[in-house]
Amino acid sequence: MALTMEHRRHQDLAVAVLAGQIDVATSAQLREDLTCLVASGTRHLILDVSAVSLIDSNGLGVLLALHHHLRDHCGSVALTGVNRQIREVLRVTRLITVFPIYGTADVAIHAHHAGHHATAPSHTTHDHDLDGR
């Protein structure tokens, strides 16, 4: 299954909406798309993964590399729309403590503007409005 990415800017951050699968077949393209987005000046990024059906270790590697790059450049990356499968993958790999997680992009944008966009705390995530997920 193909992976698509659409993005929009909100002042000093971008929201990238991903759809499809993030796996060995799509992770290189995702890395390239995200690299271009960051190279265009994006320092704070919200990834909406509500339409992502699967993420494998290759996809996790892309997200982790993005996190490290943005953190090293005083930026941040947060996730929104995390489904049960992705949440479980993040939990098992302990990456759930790396990425702030929000229920919607609007909540993540609000948190960013309220100053909660620094790197995720080492022991918890920002679980807001998750609709029981």
Side-chain angles (χ1 to χ4, degrees):
M1 176 180 243
L3 178 70
T4 61
M5 181 179 95
E6 295 180 12
H7 71 278
R8 61 189 186 276
R9 293 196 184 271
H10 291 269
Q11 297 175 4
D12 63 338
L13 66 91
V15 176
V17 180
L18 305 176
Q21 295 182 348
I22 305 174
D23 57 18
V24 67
T26 62
S27 59
Q29 183 62 49
L30 178 61
R31 182 182 314 272
E32 184 178 321
D33 292 347
L34 292 171
T35 298
C36 289
L37 189 57
V38 170
S40 73
T42 299
R43 281 195 9 220
H44 301 285
L45 185 59
I46 297 166
L47 297 178
D48 180 343
V49 296
S50 57
V52 171
S53 59
L54 174 114
I55 187 166
D56 72 3
S57 60
N58 295 288
L60 291 175
V62 171
L63 298 185
L64 194 55
L66 174 67
H67 163 76
H68 288 299
H69 176 81
L70 289 174
R71 184 194 64 198
D72 292 348
H73 292 88
C74 300
S76 63
V77 61
L79 303 177
T80 184
V82 175
N83 65 33
R84 286 192 172 122
Q85 186 272 336
I86 294 172
R87 180 177 296 280
E88 183 62 14
V89 168
L90 292 171
R91 187 191 66 76
V92 167
T93 59
R94 298 182 188 236
L95 292 176
I96 201 156
T97 62
V98 173
F99 299 101
I101 297 173
Y102 299 92
T104 67
D106 288 340
V107 173
I109 291 166
H110 176 75
H112 171 79
H113 292 302
H116 303 290
H117 60 273
T119 57
S122 61
H123 62 284
T124 187
T125 60
H126 300 274
D127 273 336
H128 301 287
D129 298 336
L130 290 175
D131 301 324
R133 284 185 255 168

